[in-house]
Amino acid sequence: MKLTGLSFDALPPIDLPFRFFICAPFFMLLCAGVILVSGESLWLSRWQPSMLALIHGFTLGFLTMVMLGALLQLLPVIAGIGIVKPRPVACFSHALLSLGTLSLMAGFMYFDALLIYSAMLLLALALGVYIAALIWVLIKKLSQGDSIWGFRLATFSLLVVTLLGLALLARNLGVEWIPTTKMVTNVHALWGLTGWAGILIIAVSFQVIPMFHVAPAFPLWVRRFLIPAIFIALILSIAFPTLGLAAINGLHAIFALVLLFVIHQRKRKVPDTSIRYWQLGALALLLSSLLFFIPETLWNRYLAVNKTHLLVALFLFFYLMSIIQGMLLKILPFLSYTHLQQRCLINFEAMQYIPNMHEFLNKKHGQWLFYLHIISGLLLIFVLAWPSLYAAFAVSLALESIGLLAIMLKIMSLYFAVNTKISQAAK
Amino acid sequence: MTLLTEIDVRELPPPEPMTAILSALSTLPQQGMLRVHHSRQPYPLYAKLEAAGWAYECEQLSDHYFLISIYRQLDSSP
């Protein structure tokens, strides 16, 4: 097949993904603050208002924030086509997602109707505009079909999660669009964690692991069938929760094993913190998927931790957040370097100003962040069993967010300094 | 002087393929052509190449093997 003369999108300006990424550690820091001020009572039930604030701080403020920023760059790289008018879409969605998440967290903490109404409006607009922009790209016939189908199903899941979330908030304010049952909340949570975040990560892994780590491609049967199977299991879980959840956990266990295998098969086995995050995430996913199959009665007899709480902690903190943080450590220096490199196509003299990749991210700093993440995760597990340890978890999480922020600021400031130097040299 | 330069970046992780391509383009003779053996389509590079006055052609040999030829666009100015 010959390809010539077709039009492909360049990477959007780097400040667009940067603005999403830089907000993520601030939301992590805010989550640490919520844990600290809420005290032991936070850990009594998943229905605690401050627990709802905490969960949405992690899922909207950290995970969704980074994923929306990353998609701006991933689509042109994987599919050759990016979001139309990326600047207005990204600036609008980013600003409203940040304000909406803050408003939602405050609304849960203080149960203020005005804050909840504001959050509904801001999040509906932020996610609505971004989802519409994604659909505009994803309805086209694109290459890299396996990953693109993952992006499509993840985007659909985000739409479902957003609509259910809005309906749940409206119900809390007395507007009964949906029946008063915990089933809707469970569907909202499951589609958010395994549909939106989970499917997107699997789709991204099909591209990122072979590309960045010179590993073999995922087996064809995994690329073809895993994501559709998870999506079918998600639909099944609405009517048959036990069966659907069992299928989702079984499929996740398969993905975790294949992911570990593909990582093990990589050609360049150089020490890399990003790959250790992927391995940690895969092990946590495998563990949470296997623990799911322990019957509740047996669990309660031998384990002092609530089963659902532990599985969600493993999935959210040790799987999703590990992978997202690992990817940030990989793509932030890469994007900075690539954007600078592309300027050299016009002026090769500018190549002399581009620093070494290692100058963007000191390997030691990445390792410290990785260890801090493990400590925070273990403290989270301890807090589930002994809530009085909450302050230690909050402090560790705060340190982790500050570490991540410092790494990001260093990379971004180096990028802008070199970019300015190249512009000045060109004059 | 040879007009054809070939590089194989299939086993290089990003951003090394781009570094190799840039380095080869910087020493390419005026009428020369760079042929890159790549494991995937470097889509964002294409737009930048065109903007910088380079033309390209890509041939897909298999699922993970692409042959990309890069050369200077003909100067159409009077």
Side-chain angles (χ1 to χ4, degrees):
Chain A
M1 184 186 84
K2 278 235 176 194
L3 174 80
T4 180
L6 291 179
S7 171
F8 295 110
D9 287 348
L11 293 174
I14 203 164
D15 66 288
L16 299 183
F18 272 2
R19 71 186 60 219
F20 283 91
F21 297 157
I22 199 76
C23 279
F26 284 107
F27 274 102
M28 198 196 271
L29 193 60
L30 196 60
C31 286
V34 170
I35 294 165
L36 208 54
V37 299
S38 303
E40 282 185 51
S41 64
L42 172 70
W43 306 95
L44 295 177
S45 149
R46 66 182 266 211
W47 306 105
Q48 288 281 331
S50 40
M51 179 55 87
L52 294 174
L54 180 65
I55 292 281
H56 288 86
F58 277 131
T59 52
L60 280 173
F62 189 87
L63 293 177
T64 302
M65 189 69 77
V66 174
M67 285 152 69
L68 294 190
L71 274 172
L72 289 170
Q73 302 285 321
L74 280 170
L75 281 168
V77 171
I78 294 173
I81 301 176
I83 280 174
V84 182
K85 298 199 182 301
R87 181 163 294 282
V89 170
C91 293
F92 179 84
S93 295
H94 167 260
L96 270 61
L97 177 65
S98 305
L99 290 173
T101 307
L102 285 173
S103 194
L104 184 68
M105 290 175 77
F108 280 137
M109 292 283 284
Y110 306 110
F111 201 74
D112 183 296
L114 189 63
L115 284 169
I116 297 279
Y117 276 125
S118 310
M120 286 174 71
L121 180 68
L122 292 165
L123 292 172
L125 287 171
L127 296 173
V129 165
Y130 203 102
I131 290 169
L134 279 178
I135 290 172
W136 189 256
V137 179
L138 295 171
I139 52 170
K140 294 176 181 149
K141 189 176 183 300
L142 301 168
S143 61
Q144 306 295 343
D146 308 321
S147 287
I148 294 300
W149 265 107
F151 287 7
R152 286 177 180 135
L153 295 178
T155 304
F156 180 78
S157 302
L158 179 61
L159 181 64
V160 171
V161 175
T162 306
L163 292 175
L164 286 180
L166 292 172
L168 285 164
L169 287 174
R171 193 176 71 187
N172 284 344
L173 296 171
V175 185
E176 295 283 336
W177 289 336
I178 47 170
T180 312
T181 157
K182 283 182 180 171
M183 189 271 269
V184 182
T185 317
N186 289 338
V187 172
H188 168 75
L190 189 64
W191 280 65
L193 292 176
T194 58
W196 160 233
I199 287 181
L200 192 64
I201 280 180
I202 294 173
V204 168
S205 75
F206 292 166
Q207 300 290 330
V208 167
I209 297 292
M211 183 164 73
F212 278 110
H213 304 286
V214 199
F218 279 70
L220 189 63
W221 62 271
V222 173
R223 282 184 282 143
R224 280 285 140 82
F225 302 115
L226 188 70
I227 288 175
I230 291 175
F231 190 74
I232 290 167
L234 270 172
I235 294 171
L236 192 69
S237 69
I238 298 171
F240 309 100
T242 312
L243 188 63
L245 274 171
I248 288 169
N249 280 282
L251 292 164
H252 274 152
I254 292 171
F255 171 67
L257 287 170
V258 174
L259 177 58
L260 287 169
F261 176 73
V262 171
I263 288 172
H264 182 70
Q265 295 289 101
R266 72 194 189 282
K267 286 181 184 159
R268 276 193 169 192
K269 289 197 172 118
V270 287
D272 184 334
T273 308
S274 179
I275 210 76
R276 294 174 79 185
Y277 269 110
W278 276 97
Q279 287 168 321
L280 173 69
L283 287 172
L285 182 64
L286 186 62
L287 182 63
S288 75
S289 304
L290 295 178
L291 287 176
F292 169 82
F293 290 99
I294 297 178
E296 202 89 32
T297 46
L298 202 64
W299 181 288
N300 292 336
R301 195 181 306 160
Y302 295 106
L303 292 164
V305 185
N306 177 292
K307 185 178 172 184
T308 308
H309 291 184
L310 181 65
L311 296 190
V312 170
L314 282 171
F315 191 86
L316 178 59
F317 201 88
F318 268 123
Y319 171 52
L320 296 179
M321 286 187 62
S322 298
I323 303 264
I324 293 287
Q325 223 171 82
M327 280 212 291
L328 276 174
L329 290 191
K330 184 57 75 179
I331 61 176
L332 274 165
F334 163 70
L335 278 180
S336 306
Y337 198 85
T338 299
H339 275 265
L340 292 173
Q341 270 185 327
Q342 291 192 345
R343 295 199 64 185
C344 301
L345 280 168
I346 298 169
N347 172 21
F348 291 116
E349 296 290 310
M351 281 162 70
Q352 62 181 304
Y353 301 115
I354 300 183
N356 192 293
M357 268 291 274
H358 301 303
E359 289 177 50
F360 284 98
L361 173 63
N362 184 315
K363 279 189 175 178
K364 281 249 159 28
H365 296 169
Q367 282 171 2
W368 291 341
L369 189 70
F370 179 68
Y371 296 135
L372 258 177
H373 181 66
I374 292 179
I375 292 168
S376 300
L378 290 175
L379 284 169
L380 166 61
I381 306 292
F382 288 147
V383 171
L384 294 180
W386 301 286
S388 59
L389 292 174
Y390 72 90
F393 174 47
V395 170
S396 180
L397 193 65
L399 289 175
E400 185 183 339
S401 58
I402 292 166
L404 179 61
L405 181 64
I407 285 174
M408 284 184 175
L409 287 175
K410 191 192 168 211
I411 295 171
M412 291 176 187
S413 60
L414 182 58
Y415 167 82
F416 287 115
V418 176
N419 195 43
T420 308
K421 206 185 275 182
I422 292 175
S423 299
Q424 284 169 347
K427 281 177 188 168
Chain B
M1 186 181 282
T2 52
L3 290 178
L4 178 67
T5 307
E6 291 210 42
I7 53 171
D8 189 343
V9 300
R10 280 175 295 170
E11 297 207 345
L12 297 179
E16 289 176 33
M18 181 66 174
T19 308
I21 292 170
L22 268 179
S23 168
L25 287 178
S26 68
T27 55
L28 200 68
Q30 193 63 29
Q31 303 295 322
M33 183 168 83
L34 173 65
R35 188 174 287 160
V36 186
H37 299 254
H38 214 309
S39 58
R40 60 186 189 85
Q41 297 256 38
Y43 291 121
L45 173 66
Y46 293 153
K48 287 286 176 184
L49 278 174
E50 285 189 333
W54 297 90
Y56 69 89
E57 280 177 33
C58 176
E59 191 175 352
Q60 184 169 6
L61 302 178
S62 70
D63 273 1
H64 299 286
Y65 191 1
F66 298 86
L67 209 54
I68 303 155
S69 305
I70 306 171
Y71 47 91
R72 284 187 175 82
Q73 283 174 9
L74 289 176
D75 188 2
S76 55
S77 59

